[in-house]
Amino acid sequence: MMQDYQAILDDEIWAFLDKTAQFYPPDAVDLTVQEQRAVYDRMCVAFDFGRPDGLRVSDVPFGGVPCRIYESAEDSATTVFFCHGGGFVVGGLDSHDSVCADMCTRTGFKVVAVDYRMSPEHPHPDDFNDAWAAFEAVAASTDGPIVLCGDSAGGNLVAAVAHHARGRIGGRITGQLLIYPGLGGDTTKGSYIEHPEAPGLTTKDIAFYSAIRAGGADKTGDATWAPLHDNDFSDLPATVVLTAQYDPLSSDGAAYRDAVTTHGGKAVWLEEHGLVHGHLRARRMSAKAALSFDRSIASLKALSLGQLPRL
C-alpha cells in the first residue's frame, strides 16, 4: 500500500523536502556521479548554518586519511569519531561541517570527521579501510573515551569499525550512535516494503548506491560491508540507533538493536516519528528534527560514559 506522504508529513518537513529538491532532485541517481556530487554539494551549502563561535577547527590527517578536528572552549577528554553519509558516493568534510560543529558545541566533546575515499573510484573495502586506519590513529592519539557516530553510509562505516575493533582496540570505544544507517537488513520486509518510495530516500536509491559500492563483487557475509551480515554481535559498545519513521532503512535499526541485545549487549532503537531520511539537515527548519538532534546530543553524552540515554 502506497503511503500518502503529502498528507502524513507536516508542513515543516515538506518545506525541508521542497528546499532539498531545489538543489538535489528526487531523480538524482539518474545523473552521473560527478553531477550528483556537484548538486549534493550545492544542496549541503544551502543547509550549512555555519559554525558557532568559539570553535577551533583544523584539517589534520589521521592514519593517512584527511580528517577535520572540531574542538570547543571546553577541554574534553571524549572524542566523537564521525563518518558522513552520502551513499558512499557523495559528501565529504564540507557537507557535514555544520553538523559536526553543532555536535562539538552542544556536547563539548572533540569531534574528528573522516574524509574516507568513495565509490566508484574507490569501491569497498577502500571506504572501510580508510575509516579503520583513521580510527586506529585517533585511538592512538588520545587516552579518553571514543564515541563512534555516523549518519546513513557513515553509520554503516562506524558500526563496521565497532565490530572490527573487538579483540583489537575495542575497549577504547564506549558507545556508538548510528543515525538512520544502512546496515544490510532484509530488503523483503519491514520498512523496505512499507516505504520504498519515501521522500528523501527510496529503495531505488539504496540499490544504486549499493551496486556502485560493490564494484561488481558479491559482498554477502562481509561485516565490513554490512554489519548485520556479521555472525557475532557480542562485546559491542553501548549502541543507539536513531532512524526515521518514513525511511526504507528504518527496520535496520530494530534488527541491529535486536542482534546486539540478543548477544547480551546494550542497545536502544529510537524511531523518530514523522521524519524522513536526511533530517539532520532539517534541524533548524523542523521542530521534530530539532528534537531528534537533541536526542542525538543526549545519546552522545550518555554513550561517552558507556551508558544508554534516558529519553
Side-chain angles (χ1 to χ4, degrees):
M1 178 179 176
M2 295 298 293
Q3 300 283 340
D4 183 2
Y5 296 108
Q6 194 68 51
I8 58 181
L9 293 172
D10 68 25
D11 290 344
E12 291 179 335
I13 290 299
W14 272 114
F16 162 68
L17 290 168
D18 289 343
K19 182 175 179 179
T20 299
Q22 292 175 23
F23 300 92
Y24 198 74
D27 60 351
V29 292
D30 296 327
L31 304 174
T32 68
V33 167
Q34 293 304 320
E35 290 171 337
Q36 286 189 49
R37 288 173 179 163
V39 296
Y40 184 84
D41 289 346
R42 286 196 293 271
M43 176 195 70
C44 290
V45 168
F47 288 100
D48 190 313
F49 306 112
R51 301 170 183 163
D53 294 336
L55 287 185
R56 302 188 302 275
V57 181
S58 55
D59 289 352
V60 179
F62 282 94
V65 181
C67 295
R68 182 168 293 168
I69 304 174
Y70 302 79
E71 297 173 280
S72 70
E74 182 178 342
D75 187 14
S76 172
T78 299
T79 299
V80 175
F81 181 86
F82 183 85
C83 288
H84 69 82
F88 309 97
V89 173
V90 301
L93 297 180
D94 292 338
S95 66
H96 287 63
D97 186 74
S98 69
V99 171
C100 292
D102 282 351
M103 284 183 174
C104 178
T105 300
R106 294 278 303 273
T107 62
F109 301 158
K110 178 190 297 184
V111 176
V112 178
V114 183
D115 195 16
Y116 58 88
R117 290 172 294 172
M118 295 187 294
S119 298
E121 298 90 343
H122 299 280
H124 182 80
D126 285 354
D127 45 19
F128 170 76
N129 289 340
D130 281 359
W132 178 253
F135 171 74
E136 280 193 302
V138 168
S141 72
T142 178
D143 295 326
I146 300 174
V147 180
L148 305 177
C149 181
D151 72 307
S152 198
N156 171 296
L157 284 177
V158 297
V161 165
H163 285 239
H164 194 67
R166 293 172 298 180
R168 296 178 174 90
I169 47 179
R172 298 297 313 287
I173 304 170
T174 60
Q176 57 175 343
L177 170 61
L178 314 178
I179 302 172
Y180 39 78
L183 299 173
D186 187 343
T187 61
T188 67
K189 63 182 183 180
S191 56
Y192 286 95
I193 61 171
E194 292 167 3
H195 301 291
E197 298 290 333
L201 186 72
T202 68
T203 52
K204 177 185 176 182
D205 298 332
I206 295 168
F208 171 84
Y209 291 127
S210 180
I212 288 183
R213 186 190 184 206
D218 182 3
K219 299 293 183 176
T220 303
D222 183 350
T224 69
W225 161 265
L228 277 170
H229 289 190
D230 205 343
N231 294 318
D232 181 9
F233 292 84
S234 62
D235 300 320
L236 289 168
T239 298
V240 176
V241 192
L242 186 152
T243 64
Q245 180 182 13
Y246 302 118
D247 180 349
L249 295 176
S250 182
S251 292
D252 282 17
Y256 193 76
R257 175 207 57 193
D258 292 346
V260 173
T261 56
T262 297
H263 286 77
K266 296 189 295 185
V268 63
W269 169 48
L270 305 175
E271 185 177 60
E272 300 291 33
H273 291 276
L275 290 178
V276 296
H277 193 86
H279 66 255
L280 268 179
R281 286 188 299 275
R283 65 194 185 281
R284 304 284 181 91
M285 297 182 65
S286 157
K288 290 177 181 176
L291 182 58
S292 177
F293 192 63
D294 289 344
R295 281 195 272 262
S296 293
I297 297 304
S299 296
L300 290 172
K301 291 179 178 179
L303 292 170
S304 73
L305 303 173
Q307 301 172 358
L308 296 179
R310 296 182 178 180
L311 300 172

